[in-house]
């Protein structure tokens, strides 16, 4: 359950693309829904696992598009890397990465879409080494697409995906919700758009808000820390 919701607005509503959002899906329910929506040219762009009691449930977003998708889940990084290599050979690019606990097992989940841009995937970095890698890849013409904090042997680690690009980007880790919302507003005024965010227990056992911003001038909104019912109600309002 969520706490108090926080919103931010730059004006305007949703776009014209057909989208579908589903919550409270089991893994089988997620895969069944994916197969069903593919027949209507709706393809996965984001999956979010979360806990309901002792069980894992999934929320997911589909966009109308002519390109296909791939969905894969495994329990170890070796298998995930092999699948990443296989999909890369078929021009599928990882766009969403999730690492989470299911029972006593670590799960690694990925969503791929058809794209022809070179991309890089790396995992198992602490914050300092992650920032070092980020600076190196930025200098080489790569931009962050997705970042995922996760626990590894009781330590906090980061995995991320980069794509070849030349636009502006920002990454910011905030220690409070107010700080994150203010940074969102600041970057919005610079024509930077939030493309990924994570809320997690970070260094010092404190709550962190981590975001990636990229160039953009589309209408956009931010809504945080709500219940699922509140989120779905706000989503419908934004999409009008």
């Amino acid at each position: 359950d969520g706490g108090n919701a926080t919103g931010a607005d730059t004006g305007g509503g949703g776009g014209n693309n057909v989208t579908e959002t589903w919550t409270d899906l089991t893994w089988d329910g997620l895969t069944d829904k994916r197969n069903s929506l593919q027949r209507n040219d709706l393809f996965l762009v984001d999956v979010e696992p979360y806990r309901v009691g002792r069980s894992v449930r999934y929320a997911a977003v589909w966009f109308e598009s002519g390109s296909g998708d791939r969905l894969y889940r495994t329990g170890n990084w070796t298998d995930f890397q092999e699948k990443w290599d296989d999909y890369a050979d078929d021009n599928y690019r990882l766009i969403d990465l999730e690492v989470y606990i299911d029972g006593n097992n670590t799960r690694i989940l990925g969503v791929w879409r058809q794209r022809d841009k070179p991309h890089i995937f790396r995992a198992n970095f602490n914050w300092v080494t992650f920032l070092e890698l980020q600076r190196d890849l930025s200098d080489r013409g790569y931009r962050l697409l997705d970042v995922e904090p996760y626990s590894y042997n009781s330590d906090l680690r980061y995995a991320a995906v980069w794509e070849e690009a030349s636009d502006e980007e920002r990454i910011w880790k905030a220690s409070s919700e107010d700080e994150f919302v203010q940074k969102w507003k600041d970057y919005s005024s610079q024509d930077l758009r939030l493309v990924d965010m994570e809320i997690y227990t970070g260094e010092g056992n404190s709550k962190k808000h981590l975001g990636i911003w990229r160039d953009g001038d589309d209408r956009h909104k931010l809504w945080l820390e709500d219940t699922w019912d509140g989120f779905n109600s706000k989503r419908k309002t934004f999409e009008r």
Side-chain angles (χ1 to χ4, degrees):
D1 291 335
N4 295 322
T6 298
D9 188 358
T10 61
N16 295 320
N17 291 333
V18 176
T19 67
E20 287 211 22
T21 302
W22 288 80
T23 62
D24 206 30
L25 297 168
T26 64
W27 177 252
D28 288 343
L30 173 63
T31 57
D32 288 346
K33 183 60 64 177
R34 171 177 170 259
N35 293 335
S36 173
L37 291 177
Q38 280 182 339
R39 292 192 285 270
N40 296 322
D41 289 331
L42 288 160
F43 297 99
L44 271 172
V45 293
D46 191 68
V47 174
E48 186 69 27
Y50 59 96
R51 297 195 67 82
V52 177
R54 296 183 178 181
S55 302
V56 174
R57 293 291 185 268
Y58 301 87
V61 181
W62 284 260
F63 280 3
E64 185 179 42
S65 171
S67 64
D69 65 31
R70 295 291 184 269
L71 174 67
Y72 179 70
R73 183 184 67 168
T74 185
N76 66 80
W77 287 108
T78 299
D79 288 349
F80 192 86
Q81 181 67 59
E82 290 178 355
K83 187 61 66 174
W84 187 89
D85 292 335
D86 290 342
Y87 287 159
D89 290 340
D90 295 330
N91 281 334
Y92 280 88
R93 303 295 184 249
L94 183 65
I95 63 167
D96 182 39
L97 173 67
E98 303 293 335
V99 184
Y100 59 101
I101 301 300
D102 185 358
N104 295 320
N105 302 310
T106 297
R107 300 288 192 189
I108 308 158
L109 181 154
V111 176
W112 284 256
R113 294 294 299 273
Q114 283 187 322
R115 293 182 176 179
D116 57 5
K117 287 185 177 181
H119 71 316
I120 292 173
F121 156 69
R122 296 288 185 271
N124 204 28
F125 291 89
N126 62 36
W127 181 246
V128 173
T129 55
F130 167 70
L131 289 181
E132 291 173 350
L133 178 62
Q134 159 63 13
R135 284 189 288 266
D136 176 62
L137 290 176
S138 180
D139 290 342
R140 291 163 51 189
Y142 285 85
R143 300 293 182 263
L144 269 170
L145 195 63
D146 187 53
V147 62
E148 179 71 9
Y150 62 96
S151 178
Y152 178 75
N153 291 336
S154 300
D155 292 327
L156 182 62
R157 291 289 184 265
Y158 295 86
V161 183
W162 292 260
E163 65 177 359
E164 190 175 67
S166 58
D167 59 316
E168 290 291 321
E169 70 173 347
R170 300 289 188 274
I171 180 170
W172 189 267
K173 181 173 64 172
S175 296
S176 71
E177 187 176 303
D178 288 344
E179 178 190 351
F180 186 84
V181 171
Q182 184 58 54
K183 186 59 63 175
W184 184 86
K185 292 177 180 178
D186 292 344
Y187 286 156
S188 293
S189 67
Q190 301 171 34
D191 285 337
L192 292 162
R193 298 296 181 257
L194 185 66
V195 298
D196 182 48
M197 74 167 295
E198 302 291 336
I199 302 175
Y200 62 103
T201 302
E203 296 81 0
N205 202 34
S206 60
K207 192 174 186 178
K208 303 295 184 183
H209 294 68
L210 174 63
I212 300 169
W213 284 260
R214 299 275 298 272
D215 271 349
D217 59 4
D218 54 320
R219 296 172 297 179
H220 65 304
K221 300 178 187 292
L222 176 69
W223 192 255
L224 298 171
E225 304 287 356
D226 206 345
T227 63
W228 277 120
D229 287 344
F231 168 80
N232 278 321
S233 175
K234 185 59 63 175
R235 175 182 62 83
K236 292 173 183 176
T237 300
F238 286 163
E239 289 177 353
R240 289 178 187 150

